[in-house]
């Protein structure tokens, strides 16, 4: 149950028999704020290193021959911005153009 700000919360006895008011923090567990900060860092890091670089690779592979100069300039800017994630996936992706057949 959530208590409104300023309301008297019920008293809780801690291990020493003292009365404590407010949230109870269990020993050995990180606080909710730390877990939220770690979760946000994981989500943002995953987006920066995995989601955006893979979508950028997909976009470049699909549009490389038909891009206009503004789109290409924007793509180059995004490559510069998301370079660490692109480097992570570069050994596994092959973006060479299809050949013209037998030479």
């Amino acid at each position: 149950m959530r208590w409104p700000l300023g309301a008297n919360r019920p008293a809780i006895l801690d291990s020493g028999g003292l009365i404590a008011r407010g949230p109870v923090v269990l020993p050995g567990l990180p606080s909710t704020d730390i877990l939220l900060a770690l979760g946000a860092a994981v989500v943002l890091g995953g987006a920066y290193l995995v989601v955006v670089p893979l979508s950028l690779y997909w976009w470049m592979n699909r549009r490389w021959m038909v891009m206009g100069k503004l789109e290409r300039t924007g793509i180059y800017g995004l490559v510069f911005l998301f370079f660490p994630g692109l480097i992570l996936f570069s050994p596994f992706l092959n973006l060479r153009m299809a050949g013209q057949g037998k030479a």
Side-chain angles (χ1 to χ4, degrees):
M1 175 176 189
R2 298 196 78 193
W3 297 92
L5 291 175
N8 288 333
R9 295 185 174 126
I12 299 171
L13 292 177
D14 66 2
S15 61
L18 300 173
I19 296 177
R21 294 195 183 271
V24 176
V25 178
L26 298 175
L29 295 176
S31 70
T32 308
D33 294 337
I34 292 175
L35 290 176
L36 284 173
L38 287 175
V42 166
V43 167
L44 290 175
Y48 180 73
L49 291 174
V50 176
V51 175
V52 175
L54 285 178
S55 61
L56 193 55
Y57 268 129
W58 174 79
W59 185 264
M60 286 190 295
N61 198 22
R62 193 174 140 253
R63 300 268 309 160
W64 191 259
M65 293 296 185
V66 294
M67 274 192 225
K69 57 185 167 185
L70 291 178
E71 184 180 4
R72 193 172 302 272
T73 303
I75 290 294
Y76 289 160
L78 289 175
V79 165
F80 179 74
L81 187 64
F82 294 102
F83 189 72
L86 292 169
I87 286 294
L88 287 177
F89 289 105
S90 64
F92 309 108
L93 296 174
N94 180 6
L95 295 181
R96 285 182 282 179
M97 300 296 150
Q100 304 262 338
K102 295 214 177 205

